[in-house]
């Protein structure tokens, strides 16, 4: 159904006129005027606390944004998603990653099929298999315990399990070393194979489609490498697969007993909760994997039931929408102040940018008068502070930040943790307050007045730069599950407001097709076709180097 254009809606227009005032606001003043601002503009659910008070908005802004969400039918679309309606319109698919973490007794059906039963049947197999590998009952072909697990996948079949295994390293099995090979660049595979022993290595071939070129090439290379050291019969002890494409797995030669299925209603970037999370279950154990699912489910329940104004994903999405649409911010920087979350920004990049990097509405109309998904990027604090924070504080673009931290560490170095949190809080304070010219003059008091005036513009910080802070007590499987679900639903809400289909990714196809063609030309299997001058020149140089 065609939605009215976003900018023609009453609530959008109300926001537009409100924004004319709000764009002049200084956050310093907003805090001074309202001693309760922090309490008013913060919310809590599923073990996560969100402080969004350091944004250029007030209670009225949030109320207007909530009206917009209502007028855009966000709640109805949310309910349709949870109910299994085929909201992925271009692929005619349901969007049911929430069903992957729903309890056994929750009935959800797709095309008449009880999918909760299917989900729990696969989870039971994930449990049996991961228990066996972890407790040493599953042995390699020469009778040795598994020591290394190599996950071969890319995009959603890599970023999720890799990020989660790193984030939960405190819970990892001491005997198992996790490796993740994603890139078609042979250096990636070479580095992994150099570190493992074929007798004690388990390969997981993870691909929703089981056709992705990079994964298939890496899977074949791993198989050939393994067969240099062992027989075909030994493969069954060392290769398992996760996919929706059971036929292709069989063709690859993987034992059907070693196949973990999932379903087309799970998007690749939303699949860590499915059997794609097998590396997580192997690494931290099924019990913690179940806690991870439960943490996400708690956030799902909150998202499904809490009023918009107290609903964490709704708030995060609406604040992000406000910053993108009315403050003109082209990117969002993710700053986890937790070393174990160092792959979280990369994970969110796919989640957000592959979902909302769209330029047509769900009905196919070109969007011309508003911006959709921002660029997502970032790195852990405090590292980023010594690299790109300069631009964030004093550059010409305003980049909203999401700071993420755990109040308690999982290590014993308390002084480190106090220093880490101090930096996290100090940065959001600095972004918000900035430093005025007069404050700089006070700092430099006593120096030559001409020198002071020369330095003032360089040492002034404009401030008024927005940020959110998300806190949890500890980084645990449950809080991590909730954190990921928070961002999944944030992406959903923004996609609903922008009226884009967040669940397809046609934009990655063109390059894939062209790469296939050029690969054949580079390998000499096809005559170089007439590309543009630049591409012809590059191909010629690569062919000359062979
Ligand atoms: O090309 C993009 C993409 O389809 C992602 O959406 C997906 O996560 C990734 O490739 C890997 O796909 P698959 O799991 O099917 O190999």
């Amino acid at each position: 159904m065609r939605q009215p254009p976003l900018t023609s809606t009453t609530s959008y227009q109300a926001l537009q006129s409100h924004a004319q005032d709000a764009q002049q606001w200084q956050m310093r003043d907003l805090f001074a005027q309202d001693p309760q601002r922090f309490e008013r503009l913060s919310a809590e659910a599923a073990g996560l606390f969100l402080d969004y008070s350091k944004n250029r908005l007030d209670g009225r802004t949030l109320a207007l944004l909530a009206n917009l969400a209502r007028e855009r039918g966000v709640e109805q679309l949310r309910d349709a998603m949870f109910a299994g309606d085929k909201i992925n319109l271009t692929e005619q698919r349901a969007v049911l990653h929430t069903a992957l973490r729903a309890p056994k007794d929750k009935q959800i059906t797709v095309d008449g099929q009880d999918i909760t039963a299917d989900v729990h049947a696969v989870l039971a197999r994930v449990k049996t298999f991961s228990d066996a590998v972890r407790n040493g009952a599953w042995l390699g072909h020469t009778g040795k315990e598994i020591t290394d697990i190599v996950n071969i996948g890319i995009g959603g079949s890599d970023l999720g399990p890799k990020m989660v295994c790193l984030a939960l390293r405190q819970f990892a099995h001491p005997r198992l070393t996790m490796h993740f090979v994603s890139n078609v660049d042979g250096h990636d595979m070479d580095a992994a194979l150099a570190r493992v022993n074929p007798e004690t290595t388990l390969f997981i071939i993870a691909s929703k489609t089981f056709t992705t070129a990079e994964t298939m090439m890496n899977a074949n290379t791993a198989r050939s490498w393994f067969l240099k050291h062992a027989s075909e019969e030994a493969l069954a002890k060392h290769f398992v697969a996760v996919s929706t494409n059971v036929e292709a797995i069989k063709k690859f030669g993987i034992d059907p007993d070693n196949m973990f299925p999932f379903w087309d209603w799970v998007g690749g970037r939303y699949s860590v909760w499915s059997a794609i999370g097998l590396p997580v279950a192997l690494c931290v154990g099924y019990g913690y994997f179940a806690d991870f699912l439960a943490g996400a489910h708690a956030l799902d329940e909150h998202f499904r039931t809490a009023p918009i104004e107290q609903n964490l994903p709704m708030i995060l999405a609406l604040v992000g929408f406000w910053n993108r649409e009315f403050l003109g911010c082209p990117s969002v920087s993710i700053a986890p102040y937790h070393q174990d979350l160092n792959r979280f920004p990369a994970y969110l990049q796919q989640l957000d940018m592959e979902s909302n990097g769209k330029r047509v509405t769900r009905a196919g109309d070109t969007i011309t008068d508003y911006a959709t998904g921002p660029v997502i990027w970032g790195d852990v604090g405090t590292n980023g502070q010594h690299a790109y924070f300069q631009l964030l504080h004093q550059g010409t673009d305003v980049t909203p930040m999401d700071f993420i931290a755990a109040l308690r560490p999982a290590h014993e170095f308390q002084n480190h943790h106090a220093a880490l949190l101090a930096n996290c809080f100090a940065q959001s304070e600095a972004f918000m307050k900035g430093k005025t010219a007069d404050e700089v003059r006070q700092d430099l008091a006593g120096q030559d007045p001409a020198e002071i005036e020369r330095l003032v513009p360089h040492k002034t910080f404009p401030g008024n730069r927005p940020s959110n802070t998300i806190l949890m007590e500890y980084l645990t499987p449950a809080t991590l599950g909730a954190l990921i679900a928070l961002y999944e639903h944030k992406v959903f809400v923004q996609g609903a407001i922008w009226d884009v289909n967040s669940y397809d990714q046609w934009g990655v196809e063109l390059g894939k097709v062209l790469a296939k063609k050029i690969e054949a030309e580079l390998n000499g299997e096809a005559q170089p076709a007439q590309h543009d001058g630049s591409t012809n020149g590059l191909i010629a140089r690569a062919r000359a180097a062979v």
Side-chain angles (χ1 to χ4, degrees):
M1 201 185 65
R2 189 167 256 106
Q3 283 230 42
L6 171 66
T7 52
S8 73
T9 57
T10 318
S11 46
Y12 180 92
Q13 285 166 6
L15 274 162
Q16 205 168 28
S17 83
H18 174 74
Q20 283 174 0
D21 291 337
Q23 278 153 358
Q24 315 306 319
W25 294 347
Q26 290 293 319
M27 277 189 264
R28 276 183 184 231
D29 300 337
L30 299 177
F31 274 99
Q33 286 155 13
D34 181 4
Q36 299 299 311
R37 183 173 168 84
F38 172 72
E39 286 73 21
R40 260 192 256 285
L41 301 181
S42 56
E44 201 161 0
L48 303 178
F49 174 82
L50 168 66
D51 168 20
Y52 60 101
S53 62
K54 289 194 184 97
N55 279 285
R56 277 157 66 182
L57 45 74
D58 67 3
R60 169 141 177 79
T61 321
L62 194 68
L64 292 172
L65 287 164
N67 286 345
L68 177 73
R70 285 190 195 96
E71 191 173 351
R72 297 303 275 173
V74 173
E75 293 155 301
Q76 287 82 353
L77 194 66
R78 172 197 62 191
D79 295 345
M81 175 177 74
F82 276 95
D85 291 3
K86 296 191 173 168
I87 65 163
N88 175 355
L89 296 173
T90 57
E91 296 175 315
Q92 280 304 311
R93 287 178 183 163
V95 174
L96 270 174
H97 42 280
T98 51
L100 298 168
R101 52 228 191 187
K104 242 183 186 149
D105 55 3
K106 181 118 190 153
Q107 227 209 353
I108 306 165
T109 50
V110 173
D111 296 331
Q113 174 77 15
D114 176 2
I115 60 159
T116 320
D118 293 347
V119 165
H120 283 269
V122 174
L123 285 177
R125 292 191 49 217
V126 166
K127 178 177 182 339
T128 307
F129 180 71
S130 56
D131 284 352
V133 172
R134 288 166 61 83
N135 66 27
W138 181 283
L139 300 172
H141 70 287
T142 56
K144 294 184 180 165
E145 290 182 341
I146 298 297
T147 57
D148 291 85
I149 293 166
V150 181
N151 188 79
I152 297 177
I154 197 164
S157 301
D158 166 72
L159 290 163
K162 182 168 163 180
M163 180 275 284
V164 175
C165 287
L166 283 168
L168 300 181
R169 77 180 169 85
Q170 296 285 344
F171 302 84
H173 194 295
R175 193 185 71 239
L176 297 174
T177 304
M178 310 303 296
H179 309 261
F180 291 86
V181 175
S182 55
N183 201 335
V184 75
D185 181 348
H187 295 106
D188 200 8
M189 181 57 82
D190 186 51
L193 294 182
R195 281 181 281 142
V196 301
N197 172 355
E199 288 180 78
T200 58
T201 299
L202 177 75
F203 292 93
I204 303 173
I205 316 296
S207 173
K208 177 176 171 179
T209 54
F210 227 75
T211 58
T212 302
E214 291 91 332
T215 302
M216 291 303 105
M217 186 173 270
N218 279 327
N220 282 314
T221 301
R223 193 173 187 276
S224 308
W225 174 85
F226 181 79
L227 290 176
K228 278 193 201 140
H229 304 275
S231 64
E232 287 265 351
E233 297 76 67
L235 275 171
K237 288 281 164 204
H238 296 269
F239 279 77
V240 301
V242 183
S243 184
T244 58
N245 189 348
V246 171
E247 285 313 307
I249 298 180
K250 281 192 201 150
K251 230 162 127 192
F252 184 82
I254 286 181
D255 186 335
D257 288 345
N258 296 346
M259 189 184 290
F260 297 86
F262 64 112
W263 308 273
D264 72 358
W265 41 263
V266 181
R269 52 195 174 274
Y270 298 87
S271 64
V272 67
W273 322 98
S274 71
I276 288 290
L278 181 63
V280 178
L282 285 160
C283 178
V284 303
Y286 186 80
Y288 286 132
F289 184 62
D291 289 351
F292 172 65
L293 300 182
H297 178 68
L299 203 289
D300 291 342
E301 284 303 282
H302 165 76
F303 177 53
R304 212 171 53 75
T305 57
I308 295 179
E309 294 82 351
Q310 286 140 40
N311 190 310
L312 262 61
M314 295 271 194
I315 296 169
L316 201 58
L318 293 172
V319 170
F321 170 78
W322 170 254
N323 289 337
R324 180 87 177 107
E325 187 61 18
F326 294 108
L327 304 183
C329 303
S331 81
V332 174
S333 185
I334 308 295
Y337 275 63
H338 199 306
Q339 186 61 31
D340 295 342
L341 286 174
N342 63 22
R343 294 296 296 167
F344 193 61
Y347 173 80
L348 283 192
Q349 229 162 30
Q350 187 201 15
L351 176 65
D352 202 314
M353 294 170 76
E354 211 174 59
S355 296
N356 285 341
K358 311 284 163 69
R359 51 176 282 288
V360 295
T361 64
R362 279 179 289 175
D365 299 325
T366 304
I367 297 167
T368 54
D369 55 354
Y370 59 91
T372 62
V375 172
I376 304 290
W377 61 285
D379 197 359
V380 285
T382 59
N383 296 4
Q385 290 174 210
H386 298 274
Y388 51 79
F389 271 41
Q390 164 62 40
L391 180 149
L392 301 180
H393 282 292
Q394 289 188 311
T396 48
D397 277 329
V398 173
T399 306
M401 308 278 298
D402 281 359
F403 293 97
I404 302 168
L407 291 172
R408 295 172 194 267
H411 58 71
E412 59 192 20
F413 314 118
Q414 261 311 328
N415 56 335
H416 282 250
H417 199 62
L420 177 79
L421 287 184
N423 273 279
C424 177
F425 303 160
Q427 287 298 327
S428 72
E429 184 178 23
F431 282 118
M432 187 275 283
K433 278 191 176 158
K435 193 168 192 178
T436 64
D438 280 346
E439 285 166 345
V440 175
R441 285 190 189 97
Q442 271 169 28
D443 279 356
L444 299 177
Q447 295 186 29
D448 169 32
E451 181 62 2
I452 291 177
E453 287 315 309
R454 193 177 70 80
L455 288 177
V456 161
H458 299 280
K459 293 192 156 220
T460 299
F461 288 60
N464 215 23
R465 299 196 166 199
S467 69
N468 298 305
T469 300
I470 299 168
L471 298 177
M472 61 199 92
E473 192 174 358
Y474 285 104
L475 180 63
T476 64
T479 53
L480 180 64
L483 182 68
I484 300 171
L486 168 65
Y487 277 96
E488 285 179 347
H489 296 321
K490 174 211 125 164
V491 166
F492 166 88
V493 172
Q494 292 187 337
I497 292 174
W498 286 320
D499 189 21
V500 297
N501 180 7
S502 304
Y503 300 101
D504 60 13
Q505 57 285 320
W506 302 108
V508 297
E509 295 305 323
L510 176 60
K512 286 186 193 175
V513 173
L514 293 178
K516 274 238 156 317
K517 223 164 149 184
I518 296 177
E519 191 179 332
E521 291 164 15
L522 290 178
N523 288 336
E525 292 157 12
Q527 277 309 309
Q530 277 312 302
H531 301 270
D532 58 275
S534 160
T535 311
N536 286 336
L538 297 169
I539 292 172
R541 287 186 83 92
R543 279 172 63 103
V546 174

